[in-house]
Amino acid sequence: VLASLSDRAKQTLHHGRLLAAHERLFVAGLLILEAYAALVHHQMFGEEALPFLPLLLRSVYCALGVSYVWLRQAAVQLA
């Protein structure tokens, strides 16, 4: 698979891995956030209190991730 990537794409890989350690932690955090939204939130607050909190948390978390990817890609393209 790596042989088919262009040289520029190979430069964006992290020691042969698709994601760096902090990027893998971000994905793990997203899984934890989804577990909270699906399992914990309704147990803690019930159905009526703060119904949009899980959606707000997802939106902010994903916005941070998209911003990171956009800035990282811009840095790669400008280098």
Side-chain angles (χ1 to χ4, degrees):
V1 172
L2 289 178
S4 65
L5 295 174
S6 69
D7 290 334
R8 186 171 210 113
K10 287 181 186 177
Q11 291 172 354
T12 63
L13 294 177
H14 305 280
H15 305 289
R17 293 182 180 244
L18 185 59
L19 298 174
H22 65 280
E23 294 166 345
R24 288 192 303 271
L25 285 174
F26 181 84
V27 173
L30 185 59
L31 295 175
I32 292 168
L33 179 60
E34 286 301 320
Y36 165 78
L39 305 172
V40 178
H41 179 76
H42 295 295
Q43 297 295 327
M44 287 178 63
F45 298 108
E47 295 292 326
E48 298 296 321
L50 304 171
F52 291 103
L53 182 61
L55 180 59
L56 172 76
L57 294 174
R58 277 188 204 109
S59 297
V60 170
Y61 199 82
C62 290
L64 292 172
V66 168
S67 297
Y68 166 77
V69 170
W70 191 88
L71 290 171
R72 184 172 179 270
Q73 187 62 30
V76 168
Q77 293 296 324
L78 294 174

